[in-house]
Amino acid sequence: MTVAAVAPRTPAAGAGLARGDRIVAVNGHPLRDAIDFQFHAGDERLELTVERDGVTGTKRLRRHGPGLGLELAPPRPGDITTCANKCVFCFIHQLPKGMRKSLYVKDDDFRLSFLHGNYITLSDLDEASFERIIEQRLSPLYISVHATDPELRYALLGRPRHSAEILPRLERLAKAGIRMHAQIVLCPDLNDGTHLERTVFELAPLHPHVSTTAIVPVGLTRHRERLPALRSLTADEARALVATVEGWQRRWLAELGSRFVFLADEIYLLADVPLPPAAAYEGFAIAEDGIGLVRKFEDGFHRSITRRRRVARAGALTVVTGALFAPRLRALLADSGSDPATIRVAAVPNDFFGPAIGVAGLLTGRDIQRHLAAQPDLGRAVLVPAVAVRDGDGIFLDDLTPADLARDLGVPVRVIQPTPSALLTAIRDS
Ligand code: SF4
């Protein structure tokens, strides 16, 4: 494992570790990956075998709290286990050619599931990996289920070479005490209706080991040449689904003590119905999957507003978001007393991926540039949500930078974290 960063005044810094060091063993245990490091580095006294400039040495650390002050480099693409599936809805298959390489990595790696919450299918998980998950208690894991009917799931996964039935695999992990979050990518006419009901009702007996089941809508881009015909959920279907899931949630809340099944924010926005209250998300365990993020943002926005006296200083500015969230953001800003002529919400259509993609996180720099260039006045600044740029280097999906955008538009562009206080502070200070 390569050290990516060492925080000052921490056990790692005190032991003399530095960026670029390779940690090859902890207390005599050789490391395969970051999970082995976490697993073996829990002791109070640690002896790290470290390589630096071709020389192997030992560093001794004493842990004073949960962190060591050490950041490990992420795995290289070649070290990641990739999937052998060809899911009919796979977003990666719907990317146009010529984008940066890392976007095409089809990871299906239980280590990334444990470390970062990536969803995995378990379809070709080998026995050694199963044993490792159980031995090292890699919990929770995030599992793409899609359907429990074996034949239907096999078809949804694109009829891969290996595709063991999902329920026995989940049962095995559940029996070993591994907690799981299940996900269903909902494809109208394929795994909805009675198929969805079967899937959810076959997963519920595995609660609490399967803690949650997330239903997310299929995302279809305009780049689907030679891919199976699929369609998006309609607004009427989304409304019917909300009603069905509310009924299931009431039942499981009574029977299991948890609502167990949760709908993606996108489904409520598409249905144009109120989002559930914060308590209905039961701690927001799967917010990263788009389940409850909007509720969290809206509640946080109202709390932040009551603490602030002034939302904006004089002069207009433009806040960028996706078409789906724009009406909610306009309503929030109106509630805060801001003048829509002063703080303009730009609902940027997604021309690159197509109109069915309405989230801010998949906007490209060029789509933002094109939409804003057609506006009569952008005001004193443009605020862009950080979800639209890549972590680390802050570049848009199409490799445009915020600086390119600012130069083209002739106004400052600020990248804003997607939190209410960051947005309100940027509106006040920009
Ligand atoms: S598991 Fe399916 S959706 Fe995920 S990367 Fe593989 S083919 Fe794509």
Side-chain angles (χ1 to χ4, degrees):
M1 294 308 306
T2 304
V3 175
V6 176
R9 294 180 297 283
T10 58
L17 281 158
R19 181 189 159 90
D21 284 347
R22 281 193 65 235
I23 305 174
V24 292
V26 176
N27 291 346
H29 300 285
L31 302 182
R32 289 165 290 188
D33 49 40
I35 290 179
D36 275 346
F37 180 81
Q38 277 195 10
F39 189 69
H40 294 297
D43 295 347
E44 191 189 332
R45 287 168 192 274
L46 300 173
E47 193 173 282
L48 308 186
T49 310
V50 176
E51 279 177 17
R52 182 184 292 174
D53 302 329
V55 179
T56 305
T58 302
K59 303 277 183 199
R60 292 189 177 79
L61 285 81
R62 196 160 177 178
R63 185 184 273 287
H64 304 301
L68 294 170
L70 196 62
E71 191 189 317
L72 297 176
R76 288 163 302 200
D79 296 334
I80 293 173
T81 306
T82 52
C83 86
N85 306 319
K86 290 191 231 83
C87 297
V88 293
F89 49 78
C90 180
F91 198 81
I92 295 168
H93 296 162
Q94 304 178 62
L95 292 175
K97 289 197 179 80
M99 300 186 75
R100 77 180 82 102
K101 263 195 187 142
S102 60
L103 293 174
Y104 299 96
V105 177
K106 291 172 42 177
D107 74 80
D108 198 13
D109 192 320
F110 66 90
R111 299 168 301 177
L112 298 183
S113 186
F114 172 67
L115 292 172
H116 304 300
N118 296 11
Y119 279 86
I120 53 173
T121 61
L122 302 179
S123 49
D124 52 5
L125 193 76
D126 59 18
E127 183 56 28
S129 301
F130 257 111
E131 285 171 11
R132 184 172 175 202
I133 289 170
I134 292 166
E135 186 211 333
Q136 296 190 324
R137 309 209 55 73
L138 304 185
S139 174
L141 292 178
Y142 297 77
I143 314 290
S144 286
V145 172
H146 309 316
T148 49
D149 174 336
E151 184 51 37
L152 174 58
R153 185 169 193 262
Y154 181 57
L156 288 165
L157 295 186
R159 306 192 173 278
R161 207 153 38 89
H162 299 114
S163 180
E165 285 187 30
I166 190 70
L167 275 177
R169 301 199 137 205
L170 299 179
E171 280 159 5
R172 178 175 178 191
L173 293 172
K175 228 177 245 166
I178 304 297
R179 218 155 44 78
M180 292 162 277
H181 294 286
Q183 185 191 60
I184 297 166
V185 173
L186 195 70
C187 302
D189 309 327
L190 286 182
N191 61 343
D192 56 350
T194 52
H195 298 296
L196 177 67
E197 187 167 340
R198 170 173 171 182
T199 301
V200 173
F201 278 73
E202 287 187 337
L203 290 173
L206 292 174
H207 186 270
H209 302 293
V210 174
S211 314
T212 63
T213 295
I215 302 176
V216 303
V218 63
L220 300 176
T221 79
R222 61 162 91 251
H223 308 279
R224 289 195 55 83
E225 304 82 22
R226 295 189 296 281
L227 292 175
L230 290 180
R231 69 174 179 86
S232 303
L233 204 65
T234 66
D236 282 344
E237 286 169 336
R239 275 188 283 278
L241 185 59
V242 169
T244 301
V245 167
E246 280 174 358
W248 292 345
Q249 288 184 328
R250 276 193 295 276
R251 172 184 174 155
W252 283 315
L253 193 56
E255 288 179 15
L256 306 173
S258 163
R259 289 165 184 79
F260 178 64
V261 61
F262 300 89
L263 289 176
D265 298 346
E266 273 183 84
I267 294 176
Y268 293 99
L269 298 183
L270 177 63
D272 197 18
V273 297
L275 289 148
Y281 289 101
E282 301 182 8
F284 295 100
I286 43 173
E288 287 291 305
D289 199 24
I291 312 282
L293 278 179
V294 173
R295 167 54 64 213
K296 265 180 115 167
F297 186 92
E298 292 188 353
D299 288 359
F301 190 93
H302 287 124
R303 278 194 301 274
S304 291
I305 280 291
T306 54
R307 287 200 300 266
R308 289 166 196 253
R309 274 176 309 182
R310 193 163 58 93
V311 173
R313 66 178 167 87
L317 55 75
T318 301
V319 182
V320 167
T321 190
L324 210 50
F325 187 54
R328 313 280 302 202
L329 188 54
R330 284 195 192 107
L332 280 175
L333 288 164
D335 281 355
S336 74
S338 67
D339 176 3
T342 306
I343 304 174
R344 296 164 195 159
V345 174
V348 177
N350 199 321
D351 290 337
F352 185 79
F353 286 119
I357 304 295
V359 295
L362 290 171
L363 285 175
T364 58
R366 277 183 192 82
D367 276 346
I368 297 173
Q369 195 273 342
R370 196 176 308 119
H371 182 75
L372 296 188
Q375 306 304 310
D377 176 23
L378 297 173
R380 62 181 188 271
V382 168
L383 309 184
V384 174
V387 289
V389 297
R390 188 166 60 181
D391 287 349
D393 57 13
I395 293 176
F396 291 105
L397 273 171
D398 55 358
D399 290 339
L400 222 69
T401 67
D404 295 334
L405 203 57
R407 198 191 48 242
D408 292 349
L409 297 171
V411 286
V413 171
R414 291 190 57 193
V415 176
I416 307 301
Q417 287 306 313
T419 65
S421 62
L423 174 63
L424 289 168
T425 302
I427 288 174
R428 189 193 61 200
D429 298 344
S430 292

